[in-house]
Amino acid sequence: MKKAIAALMVFATLLLSSCGLNNMFSRNQSASPSSGATPSSNRYGSPTASPQNTQTPLTSSELSYFSAYFEDPQNNGFLLSNYAKPSEIDLDALFYTGAGIASDGQDISPNEQQAFMDAYELDSIDGDLLKLSTKQINDYLKEKAGVTLSQISGKLHWLYIQKYDAYYSMVFDTNYGFFNCVSGYKTSDGTYVIQCEDNPEYGQQIDSCVVTLHQSGDSYMFVSNKAHMVY
């Protein structure tokens, strides 16, 4: 009888051990990558590395292209002041001669001309009277620099007439800059950094600048400009 009880106890011990091993094996299998489960430490994978932002020197044809690009009155004014970001652009330098979008002459009504003369107590308009509507300015700034008039830190020191929601200025000369693009590079994210020097045939306030653009579709947006002032 004692031998039968001892045998029964050995059998029970072996049975319990076998169940424990099976349960441990099952747990290990459920945590194994081959079972389809992902360990918590690898659940989100490794961070994706950012592509390298490579720099490529601009070719002579690209430099010639940008020299012509900056000759356009709609682009020229962006080279005539210092700004680290678009909101710091000098609006007076940018729009001094109208930036290629201002109305003048017969495009300004006699009533508007009279309102301008009244504001400054003038008997006549002797220079070139220019007009920029608020909409013109905002559309232009948005296209060229991604900002609006209200986002610029400085002011446009033209006469604002609320009745016409427009700005007016009379000019007798120009601040147009003549530049040649001499070097630069582009990056793989569409940024262009271009060194420009003044044309030696013309004396002007700025003799060199480094302008940064960012390509936006088929056009370019002005990001910053570091200008060296002669005086």
Side-chain angles (χ1 to χ4, degrees):
M1 184 67 179
K2 290 181 179 181
K3 291 182 179 180
I5 292 173
L8 183 60
M9 291 178 66
V10 170
F11 176 76
T13 300
L14 290 174
L15 182 61
L16 290 172
S17 298
S18 176
C19 291
L21 289 172
N22 284 337
N23 289 336
M24 183 180 295
F25 179 76
S26 296
R27 288 195 298 271
N28 289 338
Q29 281 288 94
S30 64
S32 171
S34 62
S35 68
T38 304
S40 59
S41 59
N42 294 325
R43 182 172 298 170
Y44 301 106
S46 301
T48 302
S50 301
Q52 185 177 6
N53 193 18
T54 57
Q55 296 182 2
T56 305
L58 296 180
T59 64
S60 58
S61 60
E62 287 174 318
L63 292 171
S64 295
Y65 169 84
F66 282 110
S67 293
Y69 183 80
F70 296 139
E71 288 178 0
D72 187 331
Q74 292 197 23
N75 301 320
N76 191 260
F78 286 99
L79 274 63
L80 303 180
S81 68
N82 280 298
Y83 52 95
K85 52 187 177 182
S87 62
E88 298 174 352
I89 292 171
D90 185 332
L91 293 174
D92 290 327
L94 178 61
F95 290 116
Y96 188 85
T97 53
I101 63 170
S103 302
D104 60 4
Q106 294 182 350
D107 292 330
I108 302 175
S109 72
N111 288 338
E112 291 172 278
Q113 295 183 41
Q114 188 61 53
F116 181 84
M117 290 188 290
D118 291 344
Y120 290 109
E121 300 182 350
L122 300 174
D123 295 326
S124 62
I125 295 175
D126 301 322
D128 294 324
L129 182 62
L130 304 176
K131 170 189 174 182
L132 286 166
S133 70
T134 301
K135 184 179 186 308
Q136 277 181 302
I137 294 173
N138 282 328
D139 289 348
Y140 171 79
L141 289 174
K142 196 70 176 177
E143 176 188 353
K144 294 292 185 180
V147 293
T148 59
L149 188 59
S150 63
Q151 294 173 306
I152 303 293
S153 56
K155 294 183 178 181
L156 177 61
H157 295 95
W158 288 26
L159 174 67
Y160 176 73
I161 302 179
Q162 186 174 7
K163 179 179 179 180
Y164 304 107
D165 191 21
Y167 295 79
Y168 301 82
S169 178
M170 185 167 60
V171 296
F172 299 89
D173 56 3
T174 180
N175 70 336
Y176 185 90
F178 298 86
F179 297 97
N180 294 319
C181 298
V182 295
S183 64
Y185 63 87
K186 58 185 176 182
T187 66
S188 53
D189 71 349
T191 298
Y192 289 73
V193 179
I194 307 168
Q195 170 76 38
C196 301
E197 295 181 356
D198 71 329
N199 190 316
E201 295 181 11
Y202 306 93
Q204 54 196 49
Q205 183 178 358
I206 296 172
D207 66 359
S208 64
C209 65
V210 178
V211 59
T212 300
L213 307 171
H214 189 79
Q215 189 167 13
S216 177
D218 295 329
S219 60
Y220 301 91
M221 300 186 75
F222 288 87
V223 176
S224 66
N225 188 52
K226 186 176 182 180
H228 178 255
M229 305 287 187
V230 178
Y231 54 87

